[in-house]
Amino acid sequence: TKTNPVNKNQSKPVVISTWIHGMEANKTAWERLKVGDNALNAVEAGVRVTESDPKNRSVGIGGNPDAAGEVTLDACIMNHKSECGAVAYLKNIENPISVARKVMEETPHVLLVGQGALSFAIEQGFEKKDLLTEEAKADWIKWKESENQKKPEINHENHDTISMLAIDKEGNLSGACTTSGWAYKLPGRVGDSPIIGSGLFVDNEVGAACATGIGEAVIRISGSSTIVELMRQGKSPQEACKEAVNRILKKHKDHEGLQVGFLAINKKGEVGAYSSYYGFNYAY
Ligand code: GLY
């Protein structure tokens, strides 16, 4: 639809994030925003809540492992100055979003992966931890013994990435995106979440967008930067998210299990969301 009910009487600051698990994360982000802290600090603090929740099976500690039983995490962060940082295939670190922020602030690079990302995190003082919980391990063993074991498991509802966007009282935008990725993925697989422009994009002149769902599909249309460009051309956040989803659907013959969801926010603080399947929700 063209209008989104949450945009009525909207005022800044605003924080939105993917899925119902975003509500707890938003509360922490809001604690920062309401006292005038900036959007970057808010989104980092917010998604750390979800990363540190061992009951959440798609982000941070407790996330579902890859096919080999290893938890490998992807994350990125971007601020209103278009500065950004990311990590991919990072093991043994509970809060990859904070490592991504260190990549942004302490290195000339944007993306560190694998062993290099882990060594950098340890140098920066992050603690090494076992991220595979007993529950996640038990489910992985069940999956390995099942007939489906050749197929990674698709998440439709209440799963996947937390992506968060915020606009602070100064009107500056930031975003964060973090995930353990597609459950039982092939070892080495990286999705959209650490890819600036796919899982997350911020342009402080226009707005910001972020993604959840099957990362391969999001990457194919460079999802989040596409939405920001659509908003630049005059689309509302809602219209832009819808067009990105439709573009993905057009480019895939088989829509079975193709869950993708986008969130967007513009400079006025208006928000929008759209997904390919029913069941996608977001926290405002
Ligand atoms: N959107 C998360 C992933 O595909 O890894």
Side-chain angles (χ1 to χ4, degrees):
T1 58
K2 274 197 172 169
T3 50
N4 187 323
V6 299
N7 290 328
K8 280 188 195 151
N9 306 321
Q10 130 308 298
S11 65
K12 291 182 256 260
V14 173
V15 58
I16 51 172
S17 61
T18 51
W19 304 108
I20 199 74
H21 59 214
M23 205 44 104
E24 284 309 306
N26 280 10
K27 278 185 197 160
T28 295
W30 189 253
E31 290 303 312
R32 301 290 187 107
L33 290 170
K34 78 176 183 196
V35 294
D37 201 354
N38 62 50
L40 182 69
N41 288 340
V43 295
E44 182 194 7
V47 302
R48 278 177 64 98
V49 172
T50 320
E51 289 180 334
S52 292
D53 177 0
K55 291 198 263 353
N56 186 299
R57 299 296 291 280
S58 58
V59 181
I61 192 163
N64 284 317
D66 65 13
E70 300 248 37
V71 181
T72 69
L73 305 178
D74 301 333
C76 74
I77 195 159
M78 190 163 190
N79 71 12
H80 66 287
K81 294 189 239 166
S82 297
E83 294 165 342
C84 47
V87 288
Y89 198 66
L90 176 63
K91 297 180 193 171
N92 297 113
I93 301 289
E94 181 174 319
N95 296 114
I97 199 66
S98 296
V99 186
R101 183 166 176 176
K102 289 282 183 198
V103 173
M104 173 175 103
E105 290 177 342
E106 305 294 337
T107 82
H109 307 306
V110 167
L111 173 62
L112 294 181
V113 307
Q115 184 55 47
L118 178 59
S119 303
F120 170 74
I122 290 164
E123 258 170 46
Q124 292 290 322
F126 289 84
E127 189 191 341
K128 233 178 137 178
K129 275 192 182 170
D130 183 2
L131 303 180
L132 186 64
T133 57
E134 285 307 315
E135 291 79 7
K137 189 174 174 180
D139 283 351
W140 168 69
I141 290 169
K142 240 189 262 166
W143 171 81
K144 257 177 87 75
E145 289 166 355
S146 76
E147 284 175 9
N148 283 338
Q149 68 154 296
K150 289 272 178 315
K151 276 194 185 165
E153 206 158 274
I154 289 167
N155 303 322
H156 283 181
E157 294 180 11
N158 290 340
H159 289 271
D160 207 271
T161 323
I162 180 159
S163 296
M164 180 180 281
L165 306 173
I167 186 163
D168 58 31
K169 76 173 184 16
E170 307 296 335
N172 286 325
L173 291 154
S174 284
C177 180
T178 175
T179 190
S180 53
W182 194 338
Y184 319 135
K185 59 198 174 186
L186 285 176
R189 180 266 188 191
V190 169
D192 60 316
S193 300
I195 310 296
I196 295 292
S198 287
L200 172 71
F201 197 65
V202 177
D203 185 324
N204 209 48
E205 285 177 15
V206 177
C210 62
T212 180
I214 306 288
E216 286 74 0
V218 174
I219 290 170
R220 270 178 207 122
I221 67 146
S222 200
S224 295
S225 61
T226 291
I227 290 170
V228 171
E229 288 313 303
L230 289 166
M231 290 194 289
R232 196 191 306 277
Q233 290 161 24
K235 296 226 182 288
S236 71
Q238 184 79 14
E239 291 165 337
C241 289
K242 184 175 178 180
E243 179 158 338
V245 168
N246 286 338
R247 215 175 271 191
I248 286 175
L249 293 175
K250 215 165 109 185
K251 289 190 186 293
H252 291 80
K253 283 198 186 84
D254 183 6
H255 295 172
E256 176 72 32
L258 186 70
Q259 174 63 305
V260 285
F262 291 106
L263 296 184
I265 186 167
N266 65 16
K267 280 295 276 182
K268 289 190 256 176
E270 293 168 340
V271 306
Y274 210 81
S275 68
S276 51
Y277 264 80
Y278 289 108
F280 176 48
N281 45 46
Y282 70 98
Y284 175 83

